[in-house]
Amino acid sequence: MALERTFSIIKPDAVRRNLIGKIVTKFEEAGLTVIALKKIQMTRAQAEGFYAVHKERPFFGELVEQMIASPVVLQVLEGEGAILKNREVMGATNPANAVEGTIRKEFALSIGENSVHGSDAPETAAEEIKYFFSDDELVG
Ligand code: ADP
Ligand code: MG
């Protein structure tokens, strides 16, 4: 397995419920290292650009509203096989299908307000990291 970097968002629903620490702990306990972290209020333009791949989907408008409703925490996570590992720790998109012990099983409110985002492949991980972080913010 290769040392990888992946991008994570702790979404507004989780930040509002003071779950930042519990969610970061899940990543750390899975062997992922936080190499960058910041709390921001995402703008509508940032959210629409970030989720542009979903712009034709019926839930796009709702997704953007949820992402800009209140602050988010952005992270870059590093580790062996970090992209897949992050997805495993997150759990399925729909919390009803998420495995016990995953972030979404424990914390998600619904398929839309599902507490975390995580990159799904090496190309998207690289793009998403660049979308929110400059190279000098990554402290590996
Ligand atoms: P994931 O976040 O697991 O990669 P997707 O990339 O398919 O999932 O979708 C992006 C986000 O859009 C989801 O995390 C969720 O917040 C929202 N979403 C996906 N499917 C639905 C749906 N059927 N209804 C409402 N929101 C959805
Ligand atoms: Mg996705």
Side-chain angles (χ1 to χ4, degrees):
M1 232 188 308
L3 188 68
E4 291 177 341
R5 290 176 173 182
T6 191
F7 177 71
S8 163
I9 303 176
I10 304 177
K11 295 184 177 184
D13 74 86
V15 173
R16 277 200 296 271
R17 288 178 288 146
N18 271 351
L19 294 172
I20 298 169
K22 288 192 171 132
I23 290 175
V24 173
T25 297
K26 292 269 195 199
F27 294 136
E28 292 185 331
E29 286 179 348
L32 294 166
T33 300
V34 178
I35 65 162
L37 182 150
K38 60 187 172 189
K39 185 177 189 182
I40 68 158
Q41 170 62 53
M42 215 183 272
T43 65
R44 182 174 298 277
Q46 276 176 317
E48 287 176 350
F50 183 76
Y51 279 120
V53 64
H54 295 305
K55 67 176 184 294
E56 306 303 336
R57 309 281 285 277
F59 57 80
F60 180 71
E62 180 192 353
L63 177 59
V64 169
E65 294 302 331
Q66 286 168 351
M67 293 303 287
I68 67 175
S70 58
V72 296
V73 170
L74 311 176
Q75 293 173 88
V76 179
L77 304 172
E78 186 177 79
E80 290 294 317
I83 296 165
L84 187 60
K85 191 174 281 184
N86 179 35
R87 295 294 308 197
E88 286 171 358
V89 175
M90 290 166 60
T93 307
N94 185 344
N97 301 328
V99 169
E100 208 63 48
T102 61
I103 291 168
R104 283 167 164 171
K105 176 70 175 183
E106 276 186 38
F107 303 127
L109 300 174
S110 64
I111 189 170
E113 292 191 296
N114 57 6
S115 303
V116 280
H117 165 85
S119 309
D120 59 11
E123 302 72 35
T124 48
E127 279 169 25
E128 291 174 0
I129 290 169
K130 257 179 77 179
Y131 194 81
F132 285 108
F133 288 98
S134 57
D135 283 346
D136 64 359
E137 290 178 295
L138 310 180
V139 188

